[in-house]
């Protein structure tokens, strides 16, 4: 075998195949794996975890059966053993299972990479909340792959570790790992993993509130995805991230269309958890799009304008077949938010957030935009209250708003500084003095522009005269 072939095989984590006499004959030999199948079936029927583990380990330690059928049976036993350990809560046994099992020495590097990744997926699916345990297992596998020089497998386990760190909200180490991983992937031009890694980079930057970099990473992910086939699950994730960024930029209509695309794909895949999340985002975009328009009108001076329920009508989303299919506390929470927002009731809005804190506060996107909506509702209600007055006691405003006096004072001062209305706070008397908005004096503005231009001309002439005097001397 040539040296180039060996190096290529090592880079791709596959075993170089050397031709030898009788190789094809050995592959075609029919082998009897009945004994192994009986052991696996017996292990499935056992109720005792200890007995089940012993039987499955016996299958994996078998030395006599090494053909393709035996490999398939042992692979099944490997997955069953991983599930048994997870169900028993003995997660510490997963890493020794991957490092020391004789079965992994009997298969090719590519097959072993598939088995390791599948076992890791099983652990993550059966224990989705044990993020620290998942990260620990990933780091142990990465350390082992570095010792064994399994580059292909290491990169995929590092990508999995990145997603776990993102779920843990540990964005600093995740960003460092992603940057290093992207440098390697761009050299290898691994499009599939590039799509997933750039998408993870977008999530990290979004978690760090760096929207421009998140948008750039998402664009890179889409560019790589155009060159390959992308699974519906991954495409739904890309669409969901696109909707998230557009929502952050205030383009709620476009964000709604992206979330709708993601929801339809997740609904076909029967992924209820992600589909409910996409449906919540769709409802959020509809609420924000309608209410933002109404509240902007109020902030511009139409203080008496009130939004009615038609402004935030989301009944079409929750009364159809899909809405009924995904009915639950999540959908009820968003419906309650829409109801409170349509009535401009800040007190009801806060009570809904307290009641459905898990459904509304655990999600970063929903929490952030509900906070913005709450501030807009507060400002709109304050403007409606102070609009008839030229001077009003702050305590009276606080009593009408049913909020603490200190919070009202702080918000009014912010609104004055932001130019939402003209006025001053007389804290000695506890009053808010509101000034009438005066029309701009365009004559004075034009006069100031003339003076600025004359100043520029005089300065230029003075500089030229100085230069002439210097030449004459």
């Amino acid at each position: 075998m040539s040296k180039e072939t060996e190096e290529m095989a090592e880079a791709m984590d596959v075993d170089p195949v050397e031709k030898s006499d009788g190789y094809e004959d050995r592959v075609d030999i029919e082998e009897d794996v009945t004994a192994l199948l009986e052991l696996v079936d017996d292990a499935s029927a056992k109720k005792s975890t200890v007995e089940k583990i012993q039987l499955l380990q016996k299958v994996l330690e078998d030395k006599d059966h090494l053909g393709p059928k035996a490999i398939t049976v042992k692979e099944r036993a490997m997955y069953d053993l991983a599930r048994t350990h997870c169900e028993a809560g003995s997660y510490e046994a997963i890493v020794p299972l991957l490092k020391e099992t004789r079965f992994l020495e009997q298969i090719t590097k590519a097959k072993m990479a598939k088995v390791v990744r599948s076992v890791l997926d099983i652990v993550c699916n059966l224990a989705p909340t044990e993020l620290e345990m998942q990260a620990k297992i990933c780091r142990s596998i990465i350390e082992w792959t570095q010792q064994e020089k399994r580059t292909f497998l290491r990169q995929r386990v590092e990508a999995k570790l990145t997603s776990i760190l993102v779920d843990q909200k540990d964005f600093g180490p995740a960003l460092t790992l992603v940057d290093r991983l992207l440098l390697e992937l761009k050299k290898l031009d691994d499009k599939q993993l590039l799509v997933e890694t750039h998408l993870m980079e977008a999530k990290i930057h979004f978690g760090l509130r760096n929207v421009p970099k998140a948008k750039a990473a998402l664009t890179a992910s889409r560019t790589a995805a155009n060159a390959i086939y992308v699974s519906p699950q991954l495409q739904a994730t890309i669409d969901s991230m696109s909707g998230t960024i557009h929502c952050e930029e205030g383009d709620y209509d476009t964000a709604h269309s992206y979330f709708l695309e993601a929801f339809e794909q997740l609904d076909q895949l029967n992924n209820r958890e992600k589909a409910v999340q996409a449906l919540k985002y769709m409802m959020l975009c509809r609420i924000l799009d309608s209410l933002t328009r109404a509240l902007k009108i109020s902030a511009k001076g139409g203080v008496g304008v009130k939004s009615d329920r038609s402004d935030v009508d989301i009944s079409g989303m929750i009364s159809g077949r899909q809405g009924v299919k995904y009915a639950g506390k999540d959908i009820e929470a968003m419906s309650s938010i829409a109801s409170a927002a349509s009535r401009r009731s800040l007190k009801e809005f806060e009570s809904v957030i307290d009641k459905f804190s898990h459904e509304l506060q655990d999600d970063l996107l929903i929490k952030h935009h509900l906070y913005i909506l709450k501030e807009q509702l507060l400002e709109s209600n304050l403007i409606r209250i102070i609009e008839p007055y030229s001077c009003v006691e702050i305590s009276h405003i606080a009593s009408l708003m049913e909020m603490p006096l200190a919070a009202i004072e702080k918000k009014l001062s912010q609104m004055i500084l932001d130019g939402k209305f003209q006025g001053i706070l007389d804290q000695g008397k506890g009053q808010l003095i509101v000034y009438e908005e005066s029309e701009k004096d365009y004559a004075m503005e034009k006069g100031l522009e003339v003076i600025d231009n004359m100043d520029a001309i005089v300065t230029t002439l003075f500089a030229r005269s100085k230069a002439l005097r210097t030449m004459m001397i």
Side-chain angles (χ1 to χ4, degrees):
M1 185 187 303
S2 65
K3 184 177 181 181
E4 289 80 3
T5 306
E6 290 181 354
E7 291 177 352
M8 185 179 297
E10 183 178 353
M12 297 178 64
D13 278 359
V14 297
D15 291 319
V17 177
E18 297 184 0
K19 292 184 178 180
S20 60
D21 295 335
Y23 173 80
E24 295 178 355
D25 295 336
R26 287 202 309 272
V27 173
D28 293 334
I29 293 176
E30 288 293 334
E31 57 180 338
D32 185 11
V33 295
T34 307
L36 294 179
L37 284 172
E38 289 178 355
L39 286 174
V40 174
D41 293 337
D42 290 343
S44 301
K46 294 289 183 181
K47 294 184 178 180
S48 172
T49 302
V50 177
E51 294 179 358
K52 187 182 293 187
I53 291 174
Q54 289 176 349
L55 289 173
L56 293 173
Q57 284 179 340
K58 187 176 180 181
V59 174
L60 295 174
E61 295 298 325
D62 177 75
K63 301 178 183 178
D64 300 327
H65 302 83
L66 304 175
K69 289 186 178 180
I71 294 297
T72 303
V73 176
K74 291 179 182 180
E75 184 179 352
R76 175 187 164 190
M78 186 80 172
Y79 299 151
D80 289 346
L81 184 56
R83 292 190 187 93
T84 304
H85 282 307
C86 290
E87 290 168 359
S90 54
Y91 303 114
E92 67 280 355
I94 297 296
V95 175
L97 173 66
L98 296 174
K99 287 184 177 181
E100 302 169 5
T101 302
R102 186 185 300 275
F103 162 64
L104 295 179
E105 300 174 0
Q106 301 170 354
I107 57 179
T108 62
K109 290 183 178 181
K111 185 74 171 178
M112 190 195 71
K114 174 182 176 292
V115 171
V116 172
R117 291 165 59 195
S118 299
V119 169
L120 190 57
D121 289 338
I122 289 171
V123 174
C124 294
N125 291 333
L126 293 179
T129 58
E130 299 288 339
L131 297 176
E132 190 62 36
M133 175 272 299
Q134 295 176 19
K136 184 178 179 181
I137 292 176
C138 286
R139 290 189 179 97
S140 300
I141 295 175
I142 290 170
E143 182 181 349
W144 173 68
T145 53
Q146 288 173 341
Q147 294 173 356
E148 298 292 325
K149 297 182 180 180
R150 305 288 176 89
T151 306
F152 179 82
L153 178 58
R154 174 182 59 78
Q155 290 171 347
R156 273 144 185 80
V157 178
E158 284 180 345
K160 184 67 176 179
L161 176 59
T162 302
S163 67
I164 295 170
L165 292 174
V166 171
D167 291 338
Q168 288 181 311
K169 304 293 188 295
D170 197 358
F171 299 117
L175 184 59
T176 303
L177 185 58
V178 160
D179 289 341
R180 180 168 56 79
L181 186 58
L182 282 173
L183 287 174
E184 297 181 16
L185 295 176
K186 287 175 182 177
K187 293 178 183 178
L188 297 174
D189 199 27
D190 189 341
K191 295 291 186 183
Q192 181 66 37
L193 197 54
L194 267 175
V195 173
E196 299 174 9
T197 308
H198 275 303
L199 184 59
M200 198 57 58
E201 183 188 14
K203 291 182 179 180
I204 293 169
H205 284 303
F206 179 76
L208 295 171
R209 314 306 300 166
N210 193 336
V211 178
K213 284 193 174 182
K215 194 172 183 180
L218 182 63
T219 302
S221 178
R222 283 187 170 279
T223 303
N226 290 334
I228 60 170
Y229 168 76
V230 177
S231 65
Q233 179 72 40
L234 183 57
Q235 185 61 51
T237 308
I238 294 174
D239 289 335
S240 181
M241 193 65 209
S242 300
T244 300
I245 292 177
H246 279 285
C247 187
E248 194 69 20
E249 293 177 337
D251 189 359
Y252 301 121
D253 193 34
T254 305
H256 178 273
S257 64
Y258 274 116
F259 287 134
L260 178 60
E261 290 285 339
F263 173 75
E264 289 177 347
Q265 294 181 70
L266 293 167
D267 181 52
Q268 292 177 357
L269 294 170
N270 292 321
N271 190 336
R272 180 179 177 82
E273 181 182 357
K274 296 291 185 181
V276 168
Q277 186 184 54
L279 185 57
K280 285 170 65 179
Y281 289 164
M282 289 165 58
M283 298 169 74
L284 176 69
C285 290
R286 185 66 61 83
I287 294 168
L288 292 172
D289 190 37
S290 303
L291 263 294
T292 301
R293 287 200 217 104
L295 293 175
K296 281 182 178 178
I297 292 173
S298 299
K300 290 178 180 177
V303 184
V305 178
K306 293 184 180 180
S307 60
D308 54 25
R309 193 164 180 78
S310 62
D311 288 332
V312 287
D313 184 17
I314 57 174
S315 58
M317 291 186 186
I318 59 177
S319 62
R321 180 184 64 83
Q322 293 173 333
V324 173
K325 178 180 177 181
Y326 296 106
K329 290 197 70 176
D330 294 280
I331 307 304
E332 182 185 352
M334 296 307 297
S335 300
S336 302
I337 284 290
S339 177
S342 66
R343 287 195 284 269
R344 304 275 189 89
S345 173
L346 193 62
K347 186 176 181 180
E348 182 181 351
F349 190 87
E350 291 177 340
S351 65
V352 170
I353 292 177
D354 292 337
K355 181 180 178 181
F356 298 99
S357 60
H358 173 68
E359 289 77 11
L360 299 175
Q361 296 295 304
D362 289 353
D363 189 285
L364 181 64
L365 181 69
I366 294 177
K367 179 181 179 180
H368 175 64
H369 284 282
L370 287 185
Y371 173 77
I372 294 175
L373 185 58
K374 177 184 173 182
E375 293 297 308
Q376 289 179 330
L377 282 173
L378 177 57
E379 291 179 5
S380 176
N381 288 346
L382 285 173
I383 289 176
R384 283 198 297 170
I385 290 173
I386 67 177
E387 191 262 346
Y389 301 99
S390 59
C391 181
V392 59
E393 291 185 355
I394 302 174
S395 58
H396 176 64
I397 300 175
S399 63
L400 292 176
M401 294 289 294
E402 298 181 353
M403 290 180 64
L405 181 63
I408 294 295
E409 282 186 358
K410 182 179 179 181
K411 190 61 186 177
L412 287 172
S413 63
Q414 288 178 350
M415 292 174 68
I416 292 172
L417 293 173
D418 292 340
K420 300 294 176 64
F421 67 92
Q422 295 183 6
I424 60 171
L425 286 172
D426 188 345
Q427 291 182 315
K429 296 181 180 179
Q431 295 176 344
L432 170 68
I433 302 173
V434 184
Y435 299 138
E436 292 289 337
E437 291 190 11
S438 58
E439 295 184 0
K440 292 184 178 180
D441 190 346
Y442 293 103
M444 185 181 71
E445 291 182 0
K446 293 294 183 182
L448 290 173
E449 288 181 10
V450 171
I451 293 172
D452 287 339
N453 292 334
M454 289 178 64
D455 179 64
I457 293 170
V458 170
T459 303
T460 304
L461 291 173
F462 180 76
R464 288 183 179 181
S465 64
K466 185 178 180 181
L468 286 172
R469 285 199 301 271
T470 304
M471 291 175 61
M472 292 174 65
I473 295 172

